[in-house]
PDB file of all heavy atoms in Angstrom:
ATOM      1  N   LEU A 235     -98.218  17.719   1.651  1.00 98.00           N
ATOM      2  CA  LEU A 235     -99.551  17.381   1.163  1.00 98.00           C
ATOM      3  C   LEU A 235     -99.418  16.056   0.435  1.00 98.00           C
ATOM      4  O   LEU A 235     -98.531  15.912  -0.417  1.00 98.00           O
ATOM      5  CB  LEU A 235    -100.064  18.484   0.228  1.00 98.00           C
ATOM      6  CG  LEU A 235    -100.413  19.780   0.964  1.00 98.00           C
ATOM      7  CD1 LEU A 235    -100.523  20.944  -0.003  1.00 98.00           C
ATOM      8  CD2 LEU A 235    -101.716  19.605   1.751  1.00 98.00           C
ATOM      9  N   GLU A 236    -100.244  15.086   0.811  1.00 98.00           N
ATOM     10  CA  GLU A 236    -100.105  13.742   0.239  1.00 98.00           C
ATOM     11  C   GLU A 236    -101.294  13.450  -0.673  1.00 98.00           C
ATOM     12  O   GLU A 236    -102.454  13.631  -0.270  1.00 98.00           O
ATOM     13  CB  GLU A 236    -100.044  12.711   1.383  1.00 98.00           C
ATOM     14  CG  GLU A 236     -99.775  11.316   0.880  1.00 98.00           C
ATOM     15  CD  GLU A 236     -99.644  10.333   2.031  1.00 98.00           C
ATOM     16  OE1 GLU A 236     -98.576  10.309   2.675  1.00 98.00           O
ATOM     17  OE2 GLU A 236    -100.624   9.608   2.292  1.00 98.00           O
ATOM     18  N   ALA A 237    -100.986  12.971  -1.878  1.00 98.00           N
ATOM     19  CA  ALA A 237    -102.061  12.657  -2.835  1.00 98.00           C
ATOM     20  C   ALA A 237    -102.819  11.418  -2.352  1.00 98.00           C
ATOM     21  O   ALA A 237    -102.221  10.403  -2.013  1.00 98.00           O
ATOM     22  CB  ALA A 237    -101.462  12.395  -4.212  1.00 98.00           C
ATOM     23  N   LEU A 238    -104.149  11.512  -2.309  1.00 98.00           N
ATOM     24  CA  LEU A 238    -104.964  10.394  -1.820  1.00 98.00           C
ATOM     25  C   LEU A 238    -105.191   9.354  -2.913  1.00 98.00           C
ATOM     26  O   LEU A 238    -105.657   8.256  -2.641  1.00 98.00           O
ATOM     27  CB  LEU A 238    -106.309  10.934  -1.323  1.00 98.00           C
ATOM     28  CG  LEU A 238    -106.202  11.724  -0.019  1.00 98.00           C
ATOM     29  CD1 LEU A 238    -107.481  12.502   0.255  1.00 98.00           C
ATOM     30  CD2 LEU A 238    -105.912  10.777   1.141  1.00 98.00           C
ATOM     31  N   ARG A 239    -104.904   9.717  -4.139  1.00 98.00           N
ATOM     32  CA  ARG A 239    -105.071   8.816  -5.300  1.00 98.00           C
ATOM     33  C   ARG A 239    -104.150   9.342  -6.379  1.00 98.00           C
ATOM     34  O   ARG A 239    -103.485  10.362  -6.151  1.00 98.00           O
ATOM     35  CB  ARG A 239    -106.535   8.838  -5.770  1.00 98.00           C
ATOM     36  CG  ARG A 239    -107.060  10.230  -6.061  1.00 98.00           C
ATOM     37  CD  ARG A 239    -108.578  10.253  -6.235  1.00 98.00           C
ATOM     38  NE  ARG A 239    -109.285  10.089  -4.974  1.00 98.00           N
ATOM     39  CZ  ARG A 239    -109.534  11.028  -4.059  1.00 98.00           C
ATOM     40  NH1 ARG A 239    -109.135  12.260  -4.258  1.00 98.00           N
ATOM     41  NH2 ARG A 239    -110.173  10.785  -2.940  1.00 98.00           N
ATOM     42  N   GLU A 240    -104.076   8.698  -7.498  1.00 98.00           N
ATOM     43  CA  GLU A 240    -103.282   9.270  -8.596  1.00 98.00           C
ATOM     44  C   GLU A 240    -103.945  10.580  -9.034  1.00 98.00           C
ATOM     45  O   GLU A 240    -105.165  10.633  -9.183  1.00 98.00           O
ATOM     46  CB  GLU A 240    -103.231   8.280  -9.766  1.00 98.00           C
ATOM     47  CG  GLU A 240    -102.275   8.734 -10.854  1.00 98.00           C
ATOM     48  CD  GLU A 240    -102.211   7.738 -12.012  1.00 98.00           C
ATOM     49  OE1 GLU A 240    -101.399   6.799 -11.927  1.00 98.00           O
ATOM     50  OE2 GLU A 240    -102.974   7.912 -12.978  1.00 98.00           O
ATOM     51  N   VAL A 241    -103.150  11.614  -9.171  1.00 98.00           N
ATOM     52  CA  VAL A 241    -103.705  12.941  -9.478  1.00 98.00           C
ATOM     53  C   VAL A 241    -102.899  13.566 -10.613  1.00 98.00           C
ATOM     54  O   VAL A 241    -101.665  13.599 -10.556  1.00 98.00           O
ATOM     55  CB  VAL A 241    -103.602  13.885  -8.241  1.00 98.00           C
ATOM     56  CG1 VAL A 241    -104.144  15.271  -8.572  1.00 98.00           C
ATOM     57  CG2 VAL A 241    -104.317  13.319  -7.025  1.00 98.00           C
ATOM     58  N   ARG A 242    -103.610  14.063 -11.623  1.00 98.00           N
ATOM     59  CA  ARG A 242    -102.941  14.836 -12.674  1.00 98.00           C
ATOM     60  C   ARG A 242    -103.295  16.304 -12.448  1.00 98.00           C
ATOM     61  O   ARG A 242    -104.472  16.650 -12.372  1.00 98.00           O
ATOM     62  CB  ARG A 242    -103.421  14.394 -14.056  1.00 98.00           C
ATOM     63  CG  ARG A 242    -102.715  15.116 -15.217  1.00 98.00           C
ATOM     64  CD  ARG A 242    -103.245  14.641 -16.566  1.00 98.00           C
ATOM     65  NE  ARG A 242    -103.044  13.224 -16.793  1.00 98.00           N
ATOM     66  CZ  ARG A 242    -101.896  12.665 -17.230  1.00 98.00           C
ATOM     67  NH1 ARG A 242    -100.871  13.446 -17.520  1.00 98.00           N
ATOM     68  NH2 ARG A 242    -101.799  11.367 -17.380  1.00 98.00           N
ATOM     69  N   VAL A 243    -102.285  17.140 -12.308  1.00 98.00           N
ATOM     70  CA  VAL A 243    -102.524  18.586 -12.116  1.00 98.00           C
ATOM     71  C   VAL A 243    -102.011  19.301 -13.353  1.00 98.00           C
ATOM     72  O   VAL A 243    -100.889  19.048 -13.801  1.00 98.00           O
ATOM     73  CB  VAL A 243    -101.775  19.106 -10.858  1.00 98.00           C
ATOM     74  CG1 VAL A 243    -102.010  20.594 -10.686  1.00 98.00           C
ATOM     75  CG2 VAL A 243    -102.229  18.359  -9.621  1.00 98.00           C
ATOM     76  N   THR A 244    -102.836  20.176 -13.903  1.00 98.00           N
ATOM     77  CA  THR A 244    -102.421  20.873 -15.123  1.00 98.00           C
ATOM     78  C   THR A 244    -102.482  22.377 -14.917  1.00 98.00           C
ATOM     79  O   THR A 244    -103.211  22.888 -14.050  1.00 98.00           O
ATOM     80  CB  THR A 244    -103.336  20.505 -16.317  1.00 98.00           C
ATOM     81  OG1 THR A 244    -104.653  20.997 -16.045  1.00 98.00           O
ATOM     82  CG2 THR A 244    -103.395  19.002 -16.543  1.00 98.00           C
ATOM     83  N   TRP A 245    -101.699  23.101 -15.687  1.00 98.00           N
ATOM     84  CA  TRP A 245    -101.733  24.560 -15.753  1.00 98.00           C
ATOM     85  C   TRP A 245    -101.354  24.949 -17.175  1.00 98.00           C
ATOM     86  O   TRP A 245    -100.826  24.095 -17.928  1.00 98.00           O
ATOM     87  CB  TRP A 245    -100.796  25.182 -14.709  1.00 98.00           C
ATOM     88  CG  TRP A 245     -99.366  24.718 -14.808  1.00 98.00           C
ATOM     89  CD1 TRP A 245     -98.373  25.260 -15.574  1.00 98.00           C
ATOM     90  CD2 TRP A 245     -98.769  23.609 -14.123  1.00 98.00           C
ATOM     91  NE1 TRP A 245     -97.200  24.560 -15.414  1.00 98.00           N
ATOM     92  CE2 TRP A 245     -97.406  23.534 -14.529  1.00 98.00           C
ATOM     93  CE3 TRP A 245     -99.242  22.648 -13.214  1.00 98.00           C
ATOM     94  CZ2 TRP A 245     -96.531  22.567 -14.059  1.00 98.00           C
ATOM     95  CZ3 TRP A 245     -98.365  21.681 -12.752  1.00 98.00           C
ATOM     96  CH2 TRP A 245     -97.020  21.644 -13.172  1.00 98.00           C
ATOM     97  N   PRO A 246    -101.609  26.176 -17.606  1.00 97.00           N
ATOM     98  CA  PRO A 246    -101.308  26.530 -18.999  1.00 97.00           C
ATOM     99  C   PRO A 246     -99.842  26.231 -19.313  1.00 97.00           C
ATOM    100  O   PRO A 246     -98.951  26.743 -18.646  1.00 97.00           O
ATOM    101  CB  PRO A 246    -101.601  28.030 -19.063  1.00 97.00           C
ATOM    102  CG  PRO A 246    -102.572  28.258 -17.956  1.00 97.00           C
ATOM    103  CD  PRO A 246    -102.213  27.295 -16.871  1.00 97.00           C
ATOM    104  N   GLY A 247     -99.616  25.343 -20.247  1.00 95.00           N
ATOM    105  CA  GLY A 247     -98.245  25.034 -20.672  1.00 95.00           C
ATOM    106  C   GLY A 247     -97.555  23.966 -19.853  1.00 95.00           C
ATOM    107  O   GLY A 247     -96.369  23.693 -20.082  1.00 95.00           O
ATOM    108  N   GLY A 248     -98.228  23.333 -18.884  1.00 96.00           N
ATOM    109  CA  GLY A 248     -97.524  22.317 -18.091  1.00 96.00           C
ATOM    110  C   GLY A 248     -98.463  21.409 -17.324  1.00 96.00           C
ATOM    111  O   GLY A 248     -99.662  21.689 -17.188  1.00 96.00           O
ATOM    112  N   GLU A 249     -97.914  20.322 -16.815  1.00 98.00           N
ATOM    113  CA  GLU A 249     -98.701  19.401 -15.973  1.00 98.00           C
ATOM    114  C   GLU A 249     -97.757  18.537 -15.152  1.00 98.00           C
ATOM    115  O   GLU A 249     -96.565  18.436 -15.441  1.00 98.00           O
ATOM    116  CB  GLU A 249     -99.607  18.512 -16.826  1.00 98.00           C
ATOM    117  CG  GLU A 249     -98.862  17.549 -17.728  1.00 98.00           C
ATOM    118  CD  GLU A 249     -99.801  16.533 -18.379  1.00 98.00           C
ATOM    119  OE1 GLU A 249    -100.998  16.830 -18.509  1.00 98.00           O
ATOM    120  OE2 GLU A 249     -99.329  15.433 -18.723  1.00 98.00           O
ATOM    121  N   ARG A 250     -98.344  17.900 -14.099  1.00 98.00           N
ATOM    122  CA  ARG A 250     -97.566  16.974 -13.276  1.00 98.00           C
ATOM    123  C   ARG A 250     -98.497  15.852 -12.838  1.00 98.00           C
ATOM    124  O   ARG A 250     -99.613  16.123 -12.356  1.00 98.00           O
ATOM    125  CB  ARG A 250     -97.011  17.708 -12.046  1.00 98.00           C
ATOM    126  CG  ARG A 250     -96.476  16.800 -10.937  1.00 98.00           C
ATOM    127  CD  ARG A 250     -95.078  16.288 -11.282  1.00 98.00           C
ATOM    128  NE  ARG A 250     -94.632  15.220 -10.407  1.00 98.00           N
ATOM    129  CZ  ARG A 250     -93.643  15.324  -9.515  1.00 98.00           C
ATOM    130  NH1 ARG A 250     -93.016  16.486  -9.380  1.00 98.00           N
ATOM    131  NH2 ARG A 250     -93.284  14.296  -8.790  1.00 98.00           N
TER     132      ARG A 250
END
Side-chain angles (χ1 to χ4, degrees):
L235 289 164
E236 185 177 282
L238 289 167
R239 54 192 73 81
E240 188 179 273
V241 179
R242 183 181 299 278
V243 179
T244 65
W245 56 88
E249 65 170 24
R250 166 79 192 248

